[in-house]
Amino acid sequence: MNIAARPTPNELLRLQIMHNGERVMGTFSAPEMQRRQDNLRRALEEMKLDAALLTSYHNINYFSDFLYCSFGRKFAFVVTLTRAVSISPGIDAGQPWRRTFGDNITYTDWRKDNYYFALQEELKGAKRVGIEFDHVNLETHQMLRDALPGVEFVDLGQATMWMRTIKSAEEIALITHGAKTADIGGYAIRDAIREGAAEHEIALAGTQAMVRHIANTFPSAELMDTWVWFQSAINTDGAHNPVTSRKLVKGDILSLNCFPMIAGYYTALERTLFLDHVSDAHRKIWDVNCEVHRRGLEILRPGRRCGDIAAELNEIYRSHNLLGFRSFGYGHSFGVLSHYYGREAGVELREDINTVLQPGMVVSMEPMLSIPEGLPGAGGYREHDILVLTETGAENITGFPFGPEHNIVGG
């Protein structure tokens, strides 16, 4: 390709090589990254595809070890049988190359279609290209058709999702570190809980503890996207309610939600707590949710079907006349995902999912009840543990305790 490696200050190039500085230490070993790309190449051969054109946060991160920041610009990771290259905007300079397991090409802003020009260069001669139907919107799809006339686009999103659901030993080690980091955030939050403290101040204590731990444990990692949702009273009713400046009062139901992010790998700790004391009505609901959680931890095992787990846990809620207050599924796969990208939808503990759990999957157990204001025990109740499925059972990698015996705190 006709690409200038060292543009002069007066050149306006469409594409550039921005190999700036030295490669950084990758999150995973070279054999691990090669394994992932080799799996992808096997899928290309099986599906008779000439190339994979990956565009999502999760797949680019999973197959290249580079996590991008979109900010209105497009990214790609193109994998053929002989080459793997990330395509990134000039605003990010050499950082994508330093992080990518593979090559990198930078496109500039000087023309609106430079991104597609880069794709044309990388996909010359391709006739069938795999893309992610669940990520490419209608406008992008049309632009791809215009830029690559005659190319047949085939969905690769489902195939890559199933690749990601079975974790390697290196992935499990990273996820385990993440779960331990979440525990550290949880203890920092519990120590900060007191009457009159604001949600945002308590959340900051957990976030800071987790970021510092990640920095000490993974000195080569980029520190981004670790966060806490700490909620109180009515703010606990939704699992993803943002932090506010509300100040705590005695008797409040509280929800502790720690989310450390290490190289795009998300882990979580969620716990119900009460400040100083818990009413009888709240204690009754809390005990039921903990009963469901304990049973879920017992039955989350290889060989079980996701929908069957959901159905069994539904019966516990139904026996207490609480099933109608359940607000979402009982758990999901963990790995390369976040609150704004990624999902391994084939491994969710919902009634409509028929997947049989396998060793190597990493799945949460996280029952939730949301009782509306005006009813006894009003508030949101959540417990959340992460389990690694093994050949013989499951290992719970969450350490922070749950239930009334541990989490009536402060004063």
Side-chain angles (χ1 to χ4, degrees):
M1 291 183 293
N2 183 21
I3 302 173
R6 291 180 177 273
T8 69
N10 293 322
E11 287 184 288
L12 297 181
L13 300 176
R14 301 192 72 177
L15 304 178
Q16 297 176 351
I17 294 176
M18 295 290 288
H19 292 183
N20 190 37
E22 301 295 330
R23 298 277 196 175
V24 298
M25 179 180 292
T27 308
F28 300 100
S29 69
E32 165 66 10
M33 295 307 301
Q34 192 64 55
R35 178 193 68 83
R36 299 182 189 190
Q37 293 183 10
D38 288 346
N39 284 346
L40 181 57
R41 289 187 172 102
R42 278 192 288 273
L44 296 182
E45 291 180 316
E46 291 169 3
M47 299 172 70
K48 295 180 171 55
L49 299 174
D50 299 308
L53 168 54
L54 304 175
T55 52
S56 67
Y57 288 99
H58 38 285
N59 272 332
I60 291 178
N61 187 19
Y62 182 79
F63 289 104
S64 77
D65 199 23
F66 162 55
L67 182 60
Y68 68 79
C69 174
S70 175
F71 219 114
R73 293 174 172 86
K74 296 184 183 300
F75 290 75
F77 190 54
V78 175
V79 178
T80 67
L81 294 180
T82 59
R83 179 167 164 79
V85 56
S86 59
I87 297 172
S88 57
I91 192 171
D92 290 334
Q95 185 262 355
W97 174 76
R98 293 193 294 272
R99 287 280 166 184
T100 296
F101 187 79
D103 203 351
N104 171 262
I105 294 296
T106 292
Y107 68 92
T108 66
D109 282 349
W110 315 137
R111 285 180 53 170
K112 292 177 67 174
D113 62 346
N114 282 350
Y115 170 79
Y116 295 97
F117 178 70
L119 295 182
Q120 289 171 337
E121 293 291 294
E122 289 298 327
L123 294 169
K124 281 181 176 178
K127 298 300 182 184
R128 282 171 53 89
V129 174
I131 63 174
E132 299 168 72
F133 281 13
D134 59 351
H135 185 261
V136 173
N137 60 31
L138 289 174
E139 180 184 33
T140 301
H141 187 257
Q142 185 60 54
M143 295 288 285
L144 287 173
R145 291 175 63 187
D146 292 343
L148 301 166
V151 171
E152 179 185 0
F153 296 108
V154 179
D155 181 34
L156 196 56
Q158 284 293 305
T160 54
M161 183 268 290
W162 288 115
M163 290 180 207
R164 300 194 314 270
T165 60
I166 304 297
K167 316 303 178 189
S168 68
E170 290 189 30
E171 286 182 282
I172 290 171
L174 183 71
I175 293 169
T176 300
H177 279 295
K180 293 182 185 303
T181 304
D183 288 341
I184 288 169
Y187 287 116
I189 287 171
R190 193 167 70 176
D191 289 345
I193 293 173
R194 60 182 56 85
E195 184 181 16
E199 287 181 4
H200 70 281
E201 294 292 347
I202 298 170
L204 283 171
T207 302
Q208 290 172 355
M210 290 191 293
V211 169
R212 288 174 178 137
H213 180 72
I214 294 169
N216 290 332
T217 309
F218 298 91
S220 297
E222 295 171 335
L223 303 174
M224 57 187 292
D225 296 333
T226 291
W227 83 105
V228 166
W229 284 323
F230 181 80
Q231 304 141 344
S232 61
I234 194 171
N235 295 336
T236 64
D237 69 340
H240 303 149
N241 293 350
V243 171
T244 75
S245 58
R246 182 187 181 275
K247 294 183 178 179
L248 276 56
V249 299
K250 290 183 178 180
D252 271 346
I253 184 173
L254 309 173
S255 187
L256 174 162
N257 308 270
C258 292
F259 306 110
M261 289 283 286
I262 307 171
Y265 277 73
Y266 156 97
T267 47
L269 168 70
E270 300 176 9
R271 289 290 185 258
T272 299
L273 307 94
F274 281 82
L275 177 57
D276 185 66
H277 64 275
V278 56
S279 73
D280 291 342
H282 284 94
R283 176 64 186 261
K284 180 180 178 181
I285 305 297
W286 195 8
D287 283 341
V288 172
N289 208 51
C290 288
E291 178 185 353
V292 172
H293 187 56
R294 290 189 185 92
R295 182 56 182 160
L297 295 175
E298 292 172 355
I299 64 176
L300 191 54
R301 295 291 186 272
R304 295 297 302 263
R305 193 178 70 89
C306 292
D308 292 341
I309 292 174
E312 179 171 339
L313 298 181
N314 280 347
E315 290 305 312
I316 301 177
Y317 281 143
R318 184 177 282 114
S319 71
H320 294 281
N321 297 317
L322 291 171
L323 183 59
F325 298 111
R326 191 196 123 199
S327 58
F328 60 89
Y330 289 101
H332 58 80
S333 179
F334 272 77
V336 180
L337 57 97
S338 175
H339 56 314
Y340 60 89
Y341 68 83
R343 199 71 169 175
E344 294 169 6
V347 188
E348 295 197 4
L349 304 180
R350 300 183 349 186
E351 294 85 347
D352 57 350
I353 301 295
N354 294 316
T355 302
V356 176
L357 298 176
Q358 301 177 47
M361 291 179 171
V362 180
V363 189
S364 62
M365 175 51 56
E366 49 178 307
M368 177 177 177
L369 292 172
S370 186
I371 311 299
E373 286 291 290
L375 295 182
Y381 300 77
R382 291 192 289 288
E383 311 297 344
H384 181 296
D385 289 37
I386 301 174
L387 283 75
V388 176
L389 303 187
T390 67
E391 294 291 341
T392 57
E395 177 189 359
N396 189 335
I397 59 174
T398 297
F400 194 99
F402 68 92
E405 300 81 3
H406 306 284
N407 290 329
I408 301 173
V409 300

